[in-house]
Amino acid sequence: MKNKLFILLGLSLLFTSCSKSHSSINSAAGNYIQETKASSMLRTSKKMALTESAVESPAVYQDMMDTAYYAEAEEAAIYGSENFNYEQNKKLIKNGFINLSIDSLEDFETKVQNYAALYNGYITNTFMSENSYSAEIKVPGKNFENAMNNAGTLGDIKSRSQNANDVTDEYYDLESRINSKKILRDKLESYLKKAETVKDLMSIEKELNMVISDLEAMEGRMKRLSYEVDYSTINISAYLPTGYTDTGFKWPDFGDYFEKLGFNTVNFLAGFFVVILYIIIYAVPIIILVGFLYWLLFGRIGLLIKLFKFLSKKKDK
């Protein structure tokens, strides 16, 4: 009987131990499954984040930026190397100013046209009055010095000056940036053809539009800069002697002077009348009001003085 009891007790303990062990195993298995799920979810979330990041800034952009970087470095190496002759490749914007005294305006415009054509230039702006003429001439930069030195063929030179703005660094820097932008544009166009999703397509297309816009602005600036470098400006101002026109000496128009004198006199009197009117409308009422307040407070009635006296007597009591 006792043996049976010991056997039953042993089986009971074994069953309990197995149950606990099984429970522990189940618990461990459950924890492992949960950890696995959590790890899987974490990896998934990271993957999604990386994917979104790749969409916003695709890996192809890094290749694109690397290409642009090396392109700029190559340009900088060319323009900053010892082989780059700065003097021969210098970019200057030249401007000249010439003041002339001439005897006649009748054929002077034709002289200026021939002068511009002689140096392969052209006239952009002109202005003429009864005793003066001015013109802006564009000539190739290589002809600028000769044109300035021979301006005396047009008339008697009273003054002459010139200046040059060195834009070499700006020119080659802009050229380098344009080349880099073109590389970026070509890269993006190739990536646009390979885009697999609509989101990638829209992202790359947005970046491409920005690059094209920047490139167009740079090319426009380069076009203007190149034009200013290639064609120098000469400003010519010519004057007849004081008091002269093409028909000869012109006497002053005394009638015109007297007319201006009368007009200025009328304007002065009209302005003086307006000032008097303002004084009557605004100043007189103000003076009357100030006089009334003085009479009321300090004058014959003297309300303010009486108040002070009353307060003084009350204080003494």
Side-chain angles (χ1 to χ4, degrees), residues 25 28 130 294 302:
I25 292 172
E130 63 179 5
Y294 180 82

Side-chain angles (χ1 to χ4, degrees), residues 51-264:
T51 303
E52 291 176 358
S53 176
V55 171
E56 296 299 329
S57 180
V60 294
Y61 289 174
Q62 187 59 45
D63 176 45
M64 175 186 68
M65 296 304 294
D66 290 343
T67 304
Y69 172 79
Y70 288 118
E72 290 184 353
E74 183 180 356
E75 295 285 348
I78 293 173
Y79 302 131
S81 66
E82 296 180 356
N83 296 327
F84 181 73
N85 191 319
Y86 188 86
E87 290 299 324
Q88 291 183 359
N89 294 280
K90 187 181 291 185
K91 302 297 180 181
L92 300 175
I93 298 176
K94 299 177 182 179
N95 293 282
F97 304 89
I98 301 172
N99 288 319
L100 301 168
S101 177
I102 57 176
D103 297 328
S104 174
L105 291 173
E106 185 176 358
D107 58 346
F108 185 73
E109 187 170 20
T110 303
K111 283 186 177 181
V112 173
Q113 291 174 350
N114 294 335
Y115 170 81
L118 180 63
Y119 299 100
N120 298 321
Y122 58 93
I123 300 173
T124 55
N125 297 304
T126 61
F127 173 79
M128 179 183 288
S129 66
E130 63 179 5
N131 61 356
S132 67
Y133 176 89
S134 61
E136 181 183 85
I137 302 174
K138 296 289 185 179
V139 297
K142 61 183 180 180
N143 298 334
F144 175 76
E145 298 296 338
N146 288 335
M148 289 292 293
N149 293 333
N150 295 319
T153 58
L154 296 172
D156 185 16
I157 298 178
K158 295 300 181 182
S159 65
R160 177 173 56 189
S161 64
Q162 65 185 70
N163 60 62
N165 183 21
D166 191 343
V167 294
T168 306
D169 292 338
E170 180 184 358
Y171 183 92
Y172 289 114
D173 176 66
L174 186 59
E175 185 178 67
S176 173
R177 290 166 59 196
I178 288 174
N179 291 337
S180 298
K181 284 291 182 181
K182 286 181 178 179
I183 293 173
L184 297 182
R185 179 199 60 192
D186 296 341
K187 283 283 185 181
L188 283 170
E189 287 178 347
S190 66
Y191 298 147
L192 190 64
K193 295 176 182 178
K194 300 175 183 177
E196 297 180 353
T197 65
V198 175
K199 197 168 186 179
D200 287 343
L201 182 68
M202 293 178 64
S203 179
I204 296 173
E205 192 172 37
K206 179 181 178 181
E207 187 71 20
L208 177 60
N209 290 335
M210 292 175 61
V211 170
I212 291 175
S213 178
D214 292 343
L215 180 59
E216 289 176 350
M218 290 179 184
E219 288 178 334
R221 171 59 183 157
M222 175 58 84
K223 186 177 180 180
R224 292 190 297 272
L225 193 62
S226 298
Y227 172 78
E228 292 174 350
V229 169
D230 293 340
Y231 280 87
S232 301
T233 304
I234 299 178
N235 296 280
I236 294 177
S237 299
Y239 302 91
L240 292 174
T242 303
Y244 280 84
T245 64
D246 266 350
T247 58
F249 183 77
K250 184 178 181 180
W251 290 96
D253 188 351
F254 292 103
D256 183 54
Y257 290 152
F258 281 115
E259 183 180 349
K260 290 180 180 178
L261 176 63
F263 180 76
N264 291 334

Side-chain angles (χ1 to χ4, degrees), residues 259-305:
E259 183 180 349
K260 290 180 180 178
L261 176 63
F263 180 76
N264 291 334
T265 302
V266 171
N267 278 342
F268 171 78
L269 293 175
F272 181 75
F273 175 76
V274 170
V275 172
I276 297 298
L277 191 62
Y278 269 97
I279 292 174
I280 294 173
I281 294 174
Y282 295 104
V284 172
I286 292 174
I287 293 173
I288 293 173
L289 178 62
V290 171
F292 174 75
L293 291 174
Y294 180 82
W295 174 77
L296 183 64
L297 299 176
F298 302 100
R300 181 173 298 180
I301 297 179
L303 293 178
L304 195 58
I305 295 175

